[in-house]
Amino acid sequence: GMARILNVLLIEDDQLVQYAMVEGLTDAGHVVSVAGTMERAIDVLSHYHYFDVILLDLRLGADRGEDIFLHLRVRGIASPPVIIVSAQPMLEIRRVESLIDVAASLQKPVSIQSVCETMERVVA
C-alpha cells in the first residue's frame, strides 16, 4: 500500500541542502517545513504542531543542533522522533546520540530514498 504521508520538520541552515531535501521529500509525498536556525526550531517546536518526525543537522551556523532538544527538555517539552542528518564524523554523531534522544542517524551525503526509508521506519 501507499506509504504514509509524514509531516516533517527539517532543521537545516544550508539553503542548497534545504532545497534538495524539500524537493525530494515533497516529490516522495511528504509535507516539509524548514527551520534554518536554532531559535526558529525552538520556537516552532515550543508551540502546538503536527510534526511526525524531525530531520536534524548538527551545525547550524555557530549553534549546535542538539542544543535545540536540550533547551526543550529543560522546559519539559516533548518532541517527535529525531533523525540526525549530518556531515559530521561518526564519532561526533555518536556523542550527540548520548546527549539527546535520537531515533536514527544518517551521514551526509544521503539519498532521499534512504531518508524516506529511515523516516518510515522511525514512525512505524
Side-chain angles (χ1 to χ4, degrees), residues 41-111:
I42 290 170
D43 186 50
V44 167
L45 290 168
S46 296
H47 295 89
Y48 189 77
H49 63 77
Y50 292 99
F51 299 117
D52 297 304
V53 64
I54 296 169
L55 300 177
L56 176 66
D57 183 28
L58 294 181
R59 291 189 65 169
L60 303 168
D63 294 315
R64 303 284 320 173
E66 65 270 25
D67 288 344
I68 295 162
F69 299 93
L70 296 173
H71 276 279
L72 294 174
R73 182 194 292 166
V74 167
R75 291 164 55 194
I77 299 170
S79 80
V82 174
I83 299 170
I84 293 173
V85 184
S86 175
Q88 296 281 291
M90 219 52 219
L91 195 66
E92 176 61 11
I93 291 173
R94 295 282 174 256
R95 185 188 71 80
V96 174
E97 289 174 339
S98 73
L99 292 176
I100 63 169
D101 195 16
V102 173
S105 296
L106 297 169
Q107 213 171 6
K108 290 174 181 171
V110 320
S111 71

